Amino acid sequence: MDIVLQQLVNGLTLGSVYGLIAIGYTMVYGIIGMINFAHGDVYMVSAYITAIALALLTFFGIESFPIILVGTLFLTVAVTGAYGWVIERIAYRPLRSSSRLSVLISAIGMSLILQNYVQLSQGANQQGVPTLLTGALRFHVGDGFVQITYMKLLILFISILGMGVLTYVIQKTKLGRMCRATQQDRKMASILGIDTDKVISTVFVIGAVMAALAGVLVTLDYGAFDFYVGFIIGIKAFTAAVLGGIGSLPGAMLGGLILGLSEALFAGLISSDYKDVFSFSLLVLILIIRPSGLLGKPEVEKV
């Protein structure tokens, strides 16, 4: 029983990270109907920026963890958001009226550019940051115990907070209404006076910001990263977005949690060697039953 509960805790933490990154995929697809395959590498860039921000704050003699955390989050979110804006301007906007294949090739090219840019500038070796937040809560269950580290609690808290703030922005603010209007009918939104180019750029920035949150949290928790780390977690987050229903914000969150929980439970109870096989098999099964994903809306053919 304690093993199951421990894996549930691990799965919730992992799933919340997948959900944060999946939001970037699903928001971009919801607005322009295309997949930003460079999004995983934006997460990778945020991991390096996290390390650089930590080094800068330490250089200036800051030792308080709350100040380091806030400062690192602020610097990483700001710089990564700028990366998201640049990617939209360079890789997507010039090709917006082109075929989807052209945009797909451009996105893959941007992904390779980011990987090689980081590899050349930061080196190919694995990088790392020291553990800044130690300690854990332990709950005795039968003959065993369930442990959740303070860092995992922080990941859950910031992930839930970030998703909550984003949901409020999309549902209750003027920016959110413009995003939803652009998603439903870009031409009509433009006729009504909405600057759709600005909205699309903002969506790319929001997606990059959510990836930056995940990058900071995971880097502080695991400590190690390299220039290729964005590919694997990007594929997992994209899977979460498809699982929940690509284009659906709640679906991205739900898909991330389901994927994280399924991975953790399978790894803890059966075998960690085949956890990815199980996760993708679950995705295939769900898509066979619901091709649009769990919360996705089925596409209606226009006559």
Side-chain angles (χ1 to χ4, degrees):
M1 184 62 178
D2 56 318
I3 296 177
V4 174
L5 291 175
Q6 183 65 65
Q7 292 307 113
L8 284 174
V9 170
N10 296 338
L12 285 172
T13 307
L14 182 62
S16 64
V17 171
Y18 287 158
L20 283 175
I21 305 173
I23 285 172
Y25 285 107
T26 205
M27 287 191 70
V28 169
Y29 183 86
I31 290 290
I32 61 175
M34 298 173 184
I35 303 298
N36 179 15
F37 280 108
H39 189 60
D41 296 290
V42 172
Y43 162 86
M44 176 270 296
V45 168
S46 74
Y48 280 88
I49 297 172
T50 298
I52 294 171
L54 287 172
L56 285 173
L57 293 171
T58 304
F59 176 78
F60 286 110
I62 299 174
E63 298 179 354
S64 171
F65 178 76
I67 297 176
I68 289 176
L69 177 63
V70 173
T72 302
L73 280 171
F74 177 79
L75 290 172
T76 305
V77 163
V79 177
T80 308
Y83 269 90
W85 183 83
V86 170
I87 288 172
E88 192 275 332
R89 294 293 297 238
I90 294 176
Y92 279 88
R93 184 173 295 190
L95 300 174
R96 197 169 295 162
S97 58
S98 303
S99 66
R100 292 197 175 194
L101 182 59
S102 299
V103 180
L104 174 64
I105 294 172
S106 178
I108 294 173
M110 180 57 69
S111 172
L112 294 174
I113 287 172
L114 288 175
Q115 286 183 24
N116 285 276
Y117 156 67
V118 171
Q119 182 184 8
L120 291 172
S121 62
Q122 302 298 323
N125 295 330
Q126 191 176 68
Q127 308 291 330
V129 297
T131 301
L132 299 178
L133 182 61
T134 58
L137 296 176
R138 286 190 175 187
F139 305 94
H140 290 279
V141 179
D143 295 331
F145 62 88
V146 175
Q147 175 176 289
I148 178 168
T149 64
Y150 293 143
M151 193 63 226
K152 282 186 167 55
L153 283 173
L154 183 64
I155 290 174
L156 287 171
F157 173 75
I158 294 181
S159 298
I160 293 171
L161 180 63
M163 291 177 182
V165 170
L166 181 59
T167 301
Y168 174 81
V169 169
I170 296 299
Q171 296 295 331
K172 302 293 184 181
T173 66
K174 181 180 178 181
L175 173 61
R177 289 192 292 272
M178 290 192 296
C179 288
R180 285 182 280 128
T182 304
Q183 177 181 5
Q184 291 173 9
D185 193 326
R186 197 190 313 167
K187 288 184 179 179
M188 182 57 69
S190 181
I191 292 172
L192 294 174
I194 296 175
D195 188 346
T196 55
D197 285 338
K198 184 177 180 180
V199 169
I200 293 171
S201 294
T202 303
V203 166
F204 271 82
V205 171
I206 291 174
V209 165
M210 302 307 284
L213 287 178
V216 172
L217 296 172
V218 174
T219 302
L220 291 178
D221 188 26
Y222 289 95
F225 54 91
D226 57 29
F227 71 96
Y228 201 64
V229 71
F231 175 77
I232 300 299
I233 200 166
I235 292 293
K236 296 288 186 69
F238 176 65
T239 301
V242 174
L243 181 63
I246 192 75
S248 169
L249 191 60
M253 302 174 190
L254 178 62
L257 290 175
I258 291 175
L259 187 64
L261 287 170
S262 62
E263 272 192 23
L265 289 172
F266 191 87
L269 301 178
I270 300 178
S271 172
S272 61
D273 295 332
Y274 300 100
K275 60 183 177 63
D276 293 340
V277 175
F278 175 75
S279 300
F280 287 108
S281 299
L282 179 65
L283 171 67
V284 172
L285 179 62
I286 291 177
L287 290 181
I288 289 173
I289 299 172
R290 281 190 62 86
S292 58
L294 294 174
L295 300 182
K297 295 180 181 179
E299 292 188 6
V300 179
E301 292 186 4
K302 295 181 181 180
V303 181

